[in-house]
C-alpha cells in the first residue's frame, strides 16, 4: 500500500507539501497527532471546495480569507488541491504571530504558490487592512481561539462574504460572564443549575456561544447549517458551522438571540458581539 493510500490522501495531493508543513517526516512517516490534524484539514477542505464551486465565476477567481491561520495548513492544502489547478483566485492567511506569517510567506514563495498572501494582523483588525480587497467570497476559521471566531464573523459581514466556514475552538467569554453573575442567577432562576458547577459553566458557555453565533448569522442574512467535522474520536472541538449569504435578514432570529441573552444575563454582549441586529 502506498503512502498516499495509507494516509487517505486526495488525488493529486502533494506529499512534498505535507513534508514542508512537517505533517510528514522526510521519509514519509506520520505520527498520530499529525494524522488527526491532516484528517481534520482534509475534511474541512471538502466542505470548502463545495462552497467554492457555488461562488459565481469571475475573471480573477474566488477570494478566501483564513482567520487564525497558524502555520496555514488549511490554506496550503486548499491551494494545493483546488486553487493551483484553477489557475486563478487568491488565499489570504490572517495570523497575529509574525514569525508564522514570515515562514508561510517563505514557503509559498518556495512552492510557487504566488496567489497566497499572509498578514500579521488580528482578525479584529483585518477588516480595515488595505492589503485585503473590499469583498471576500469565503471566510474560514479553523480552531480560531475564543473570540477570534466572532471577529472572523464580523470580518465576513463587513466584507459581504458569500460563505463562512467555521470550526470554533475554545470559547471563554460567555463562560466568564456566566461565572461572574452566578450567585445572582442562582437566586433568580432554577435554570442557573445548568452552569452552577465550574465544568458545566465551561460546557454551557461553549454551547451558548455557538448557538448565539448561528442566530446572529441568521439575523444578518445567512442560512446556517451545523454539523460535525470529523468523528469525535479525532477532535473534541468538532462543530462545523457553514453559513451561506442569502441577504434576507431574519428578525425572528434577532429576537431569539436577544431573548437568550436576557435569559442568561448576557445582555452586555449584544453591542460588543452582535451589533447591527435587525429590530
Amino acid at each position: 500500500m502506498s503512502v498516499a493510500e495509507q494516509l487517505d490522501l486526495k488525488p493529486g495531493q502533494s506529499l512534498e507539501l505535507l513534508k514542508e508543513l512537517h505533517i510528514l517526516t522526510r521519509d514519509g512517516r506520520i505520527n498520530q497527532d499529525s494524522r488527526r490534524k491532516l484528517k481534520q484539514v482534509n475534511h474541512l477542505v471538502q466542505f470548502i471546495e463545495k462552497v467554492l464551486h457555488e461562488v459565481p465565476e469571475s475573471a480573477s477567481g474566488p477570494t478566501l480569507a483564513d482567520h487564525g491561520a497558524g502555520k496555514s495548513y488549511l490554506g496550503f492544502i486548499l491551494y494545493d488541491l483546488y486553487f493551483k489547478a484553477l489557475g486563478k483566485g487568491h488565499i489570504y492567511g490572517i495570523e497575529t504571530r509574525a514569525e508564522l506569517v514570515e515562514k508561510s510567506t517563505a514557503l509559498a514563495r518556495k512552492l510557487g504558490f504566488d496567489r497566497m498572501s499572509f498578514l500579521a494582523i488580528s482578525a479584529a483588525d483585518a477588516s480595515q487592512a488595505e492589503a485585503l480587497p473590499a469583498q471576500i467570497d469565503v471566510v474560514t476559521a479553523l480552531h480560531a481561539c475564543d473570540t477570534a471566531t466572532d471577529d472572523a464573523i464580523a470580518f465576513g459581514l463587513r466584507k459581504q462574504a458569500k460563505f463562512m466556514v467555521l470550526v470554533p475552538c475554545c470559547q471563554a467569554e460567555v463562560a466568564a460572564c456566566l461565572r461572574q453573575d452566578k450567585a445572582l442567577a442562582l437566586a433568580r432562576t432554577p435554570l442557573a443549575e445548568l452552569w452552577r458547577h465550574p465544568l458545566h459553566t465551561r460546557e454551557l458557555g461553549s454551547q451558548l456561544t455557538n448557538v448565539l453565533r448561528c442566530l446572529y448569522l441568521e439575523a444578518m442574512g445567512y442560512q446556517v447549517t451545523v454539523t460535525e467535522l470529523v468523528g469525535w474520536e479525532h477532535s473534541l472541538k468538532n462543530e462545523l458551522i457553514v453559513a451561506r449569504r442569502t441577504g434576507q435578514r431574519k428578525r425572528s432570529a434577532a429576537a431569539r438571540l436577544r431573548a437568550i441573552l436576557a435569559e442568561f444575563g448576557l445582555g452586555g454582549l449584544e453591542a460588543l458581539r452582535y451589533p447591527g441586529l435587525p429590530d
Side-chain angles (χ1 to χ4, degrees), residues 217-223 244-250:
L217 286 164
E218 289 177 348
M220 300 303 286
Y222 286 78
Q223 180 187 41
R244 290 172 168 80
R245 189 169 186 267
T246 65
Q248 299 176 344
R249 291 154 61 96
K250 294 180 67 174

Side-chain angles (χ1 to χ4, degrees), residues 4-278:
E5 289 173 327
Q6 291 177 40
L7 300 176
D8 193 26
L9 299 185
K10 308 302 177 189
Q13 190 161 7
S14 170
L15 291 176
E16 288 306 310
L17 171 62
L18 298 181
K19 291 176 183 178
E20 292 286 355
L21 293 174
H22 304 295
I23 291 176
L24 291 180
T25 62
R26 282 296 159 193
D27 59 358
R29 297 180 183 276
I30 188 169
N31 61 37
Q32 280 304 108
D33 285 343
S34 294
R35 188 184 298 275
R36 282 192 291 268
K37 182 179 289 292
L38 180 60
K39 188 176 182 69
Q40 288 181 63
V41 171
N42 279 346
H43 271 262
L44 187 56
V45 165
Q46 287 182 316
F47 284 99
I48 296 170
E49 283 183 330
K50 289 177 183 177
V51 304
L52 283 168
H53 286 302
E54 296 182 40
V55 173
E57 284 198 32
S58 66
S60 57
T63 52
L64 182 145
D66 182 32
H67 288 261
K71 296 179 181 178
S72 294
Y73 293 133
L74 175 60
F76 279 112
I77 291 175
L78 190 59
Y79 193 102
D80 181 48
L81 290 176
Y82 184 83
F83 281 78
K84 186 167 64 175
L86 187 65
K88 57 183 179 179
H90 203 105
I91 293 177
Y92 299 89
I94 297 168
E95 169 57 48
T96 57
R97 290 165 288 184
E99 68 276 12
L100 295 184
V101 169
E102 290 174 8
K103 288 180 180 178
S104 294
T105 300
L107 180 55
R109 190 180 300 118
K110 178 180 179 179
L111 296 171
F113 289 7
D114 53 2
R115 287 174 285 109
M116 292 189 79
S117 303
F118 303 91
L119 288 79
I121 193 171
S122 70
D125 294 333
S127 61
Q128 307 294 335
E130 294 183 1
L132 289 162
Q135 289 188 312
I136 292 285
D137 293 315
V138 181
V139 171
T140 62
L142 173 58
H143 296 166
C145 284
D146 199 14
T147 59
T149 299
D150 300 293
D151 294 332
I153 290 171
F155 172 91
L157 293 175
R158 186 178 183 88
K159 295 293 186 179
Q160 299 179 11
K162 297 175 179 66
F163 296 92
M164 298 191 215
V165 184
L166 313 166
V167 182
C169 190
C170 52
Q171 297 114 325
E173 185 176 53
V174 168
C177 294
L178 292 172
R179 194 177 299 114
Q180 183 177 8
D181 298 318
K182 189 176 293 188
L184 179 62
L186 283 165
R188 182 174 60 85
T189 172
L191 282 177
E193 290 294 335
L194 292 172
W195 68 95
R196 177 161 65 92
H197 298 287
L199 178 62
H200 293 163
T201 304
R202 187 179 65 191
E203 291 176 342
L204 181 66
S206 178
Q207 175 78 353
L208 270 176
T209 299
N210 287 340
V211 168
L212 291 167
R213 285 167 175 162
C214 291
L215 285 171
Y216 184 47
L217 286 164
E218 289 177 348
M220 300 303 286
Y222 286 78
Q223 180 187 41
V224 177
T225 58
V226 181
T227 186
E228 65 177 15
L229 177 59
V230 291
W232 290 104
E233 71 275 13
H234 294 284
S235 175
L236 295 177
K237 306 297 183 182
N238 196 34
E239 186 169 336
L240 172 65
I241 300 170
V242 180
R244 290 172 168 80
R245 189 169 186 267
T246 65
Q248 299 176 344
R249 291 154 61 96
K250 294 180 67 174
R251 290 188 177 87
S252 60
R256 287 176 180 270
L257 189 155
R258 289 190 174 105
I260 290 174
L261 291 176
E263 184 66 34
F264 287 90
L266 302 171
L269 290 179
E270 180 177 339
L272 180 64
R273 295 294 166 210
Y274 315 109
L277 284 173

